[in-house]
Amino acid sequence: KVLGLFGQSHMEYEVDRDTEQGGQPSLTEMTRQAINRMKRSDNGFILMIEGGRIDHAHHANRAKMALEETIELENAVKAALEMTEREDTLIIVTADHGHAVTMSGYPERGNPILGFVKNIERGNFVNNTENQAQPYTTIGYANGPGFDFHFDKNIGFWKDIE
């Protein structure tokens, strides 16, 4: 039996983790190690891999971190598929809940997912309280700290984020 503890609390976000010798392993690396060890059993195995930092990033309204963590979970699933046989393996990917992240308005094809939307000629902007065009983010959160970042409760309107 093996137990790996790689931090005082939660693992670092994938983009923040120390990748040097002695640093934290990635979810993919841990998946590969776990499968290599568990394949030694003649009785089969059950392995649960969790991309828990996706949820943490969404709770903090950190869309880029959530997307990066989702890519790392995808890499871990790919590793599991490569290392197991389809005939005797069931892989389930699920979430226990979702978050109120939205893609707002009409960003043009190719607009950066983490960028701003503002195209005055096509009408892709919002008017502020002075009736001036201001941008909005391609994705945003309908609740939590990300919502407070974008919405000014004092004036009851969106903040100018430009």
Side-chain angles (χ1 to χ4, degrees):
K1 297 179 189 207
V2 175
L3 173 65
L5 300 174
F6 303 103
Q8 296 291 323
S9 180
H10 300 293
M11 298 287 286
E12 294 293 333
Y13 287 106
E14 178 62 21
V15 297
D16 291 339
R17 75 180 177 85
D18 180 0
T19 60
E20 298 297 318
Q21 183 73 20
Q24 290 181 346
S26 69
L27 190 61
T28 303
E29 292 167 337
M30 290 186 287
T31 299
R32 289 187 183 283
Q33 283 296 322
I35 291 173
N36 280 332
R37 291 176 183 279
M38 295 180 89
K39 276 178 133 178
R40 299 177 193 162
S41 170
D42 294 331
N43 300 323
F45 60 89
I46 295 174
L47 174 63
M48 185 189 121
I49 308 292
E50 181 183 9
R53 295 298 269 164
I54 299 168
D55 182 53
H56 293 163
H58 278 307
H59 278 288
N61 291 165
R62 299 180 72 190
K64 179 177 179 6
M65 291 300 193
L67 293 170
E68 294 287 350
E69 292 299 313
T70 302
I71 291 168
E72 182 54 27
L73 176 61
E74 179 183 20
N75 292 337
V77 170
K78 284 180 186 176
L81 287 168
E82 291 168 2
M83 298 178 71
T84 56
E85 301 298 324
R86 283 187 158 192
E87 296 78 27
D88 61 6
T89 303
L90 172 63
I91 294 179
I92 299 171
V93 179
T94 188
D96 63 349
H97 66 279
H99 288 271
V101 63
T102 62
M103 186 145 110
S104 303
Y106 300 96
E108 296 182 21
R109 184 178 296 273
N111 195 80
I113 193 72
L114 298 171
F116 299 117
V117 177
K118 184 178 180 184
N119 184 323
I120 300 205
E121 295 79 34
R122 296 194 63 178
N124 296 344
F125 58 89
V126 293
N127 284 326
N128 64 19
T129 54
E130 286 82 39
N131 206 29
Q132 298 168 324
Q134 72 182 43
Y136 56 91
T137 56
T138 306
I139 59 174
Y141 288 89
N143 62 8
F147 179 78
D148 292 337
F149 172 76
H150 295 290
F151 192 79
D152 187 337
K153 293 177 183 174
N154 294 323
I155 62 170
F157 199 76
W158 304 106
K159 295 178 182 177
D160 188 350
I161 54 173
E162 193 169 37

